[in-house]
Amino acid sequence: MTPEIRKYVTFIEDTLIEGHKPANPPLRMAAIAAVLKNPWSGRFVEDLRPEIHAFAPILGQEMVTRLMPLVGGGDRVQAFGKSAIVGVNGEIEHGSALIHTLRFGNFLRDAVQSSEFIPFSNKRGGPGNSITMPLKHITQGGTRSHFLTVEFNIPDAPGPDEVLIAIGVATGGRPHHRIGDRYQDMEELGHDQTVRPDKG
């Protein structure tokens, strides 16, 4: 059993100037999406595991193999994320089934030497729907400089009986980031009992 993949689509964004000031170094964000036939479309399936076990490793390996050269290799990656959009004849659970499994995500983690949780978005939508993918730092989840969003769309995907899944990475944080991070806030606010240090 193998996934019926209609196409792969890649996205690259290079930020050279931000806030009227050159980005040094420039920030590259890159993503790859796979558009495939939804194996569960149009019916309720109680056990999704056979397709998860069969499809997720194939998709994870191939997508990571295609993505890493876009940024010059896994050692250049500082942030990552993933996303799924399910066509209207499917359930959001179907997209979740393909991206929320270690059989898929571990290929990306291994490529960038991370053991962190990968941020995500998943929803139902039609062709041209926006892929809005949150990113975070690959090892330091509270590093706000790397709270980024990759956003693009595919005009003809997903179709009603398709699933679109995507992974994305960034080579750094926002150019000229200067708002500090969650760890600094926790240290500073730890002495102020009027503000909860575990929020934000």
Side-chain angles (χ1 to χ4, degrees):
M1 184 163 40
T2 58
E4 186 178 322
I5 300 166
R6 178 163 69 88
K7 64 165 68 178
Y8 289 105
V9 177
T10 57
F11 170 84
I12 293 176
E13 177 181 303
D14 289 325
T15 299
L16 308 180
I17 298 172
E18 182 72 12
H20 311 284
K21 181 178 178 180
N24 186 22
L27 170 66
R28 170 162 288 197
M29 296 195 295
I32 182 164
V35 180
L36 61 142
K37 183 178 180 181
N38 183 345
W40 309 291
S41 182
R43 60 199 173 98
F44 185 84
V45 178
E46 185 65 41
D47 185 3
L48 306 179
R49 288 175 297 177
E51 290 82 5
I52 292 172
H53 292 184
F55 290 9
I58 294 172
L59 292 164
Q61 183 174 36
E62 181 64 20
M63 292 173 72
V64 167
T65 298
R66 290 170 177 263
L67 177 61
M68 289 302 120
L70 303 182
V71 291
D75 58 339
R76 296 200 62 220
V77 172
Q78 295 187 21
F80 58 6
K82 59 187 178 180
S83 185
I85 306 177
V86 181
V88 295
N89 289 343
E91 304 170 46
I92 294 176
E93 187 75 356
H94 298 160
S96 297
L98 294 175
I99 67 171
H100 297 314
T101 168
L102 298 181
R103 292 173 173 83
F104 178 79
N106 275 352
F107 286 97
L108 181 54
R109 289 187 191 89
D110 290 347
V112 302
Q113 300 182 37
S114 172
S115 59
E116 281 277 325
F117 169 84
I118 303 173
F120 68 92
S121 65
N122 42 224
K123 62 181 179 180
R124 182 187 291 110
N129 214 265
S130 175
I131 302 159
T132 306
M133 185 190 312
L135 308 183
K136 74 174 183 65
H137 197 283
I138 61 171
T139 59
Q140 301 172 48
T143 303
R144 292 188 182 126
S145 57
H146 290 63
F147 290 176
L148 296 160
T149 304
V150 173
E151 188 163 10
F152 63 106
N153 75 314
I154 302 173
D156 68 345
D161 296 311
E162 292 181 326
V163 181
L164 185 164
I165 63 172
I167 53 175
V169 294
T171 58
R174 295 184 306 278
H176 321 311
H177 53 85
R178 53 197 186 277
I179 64 169
D181 61 35
R182 188 172 186 271
Y183 310 115
Q184 291 172 317
D185 277 4
M186 290 175 68
E187 183 177 345
E188 293 170 2
L189 299 177
H191 305 293
D192 183 352
Q193 297 304 309
T194 65
V195 180
R196 288 285 302 276
D198 60 338
K199 303 294 182 182

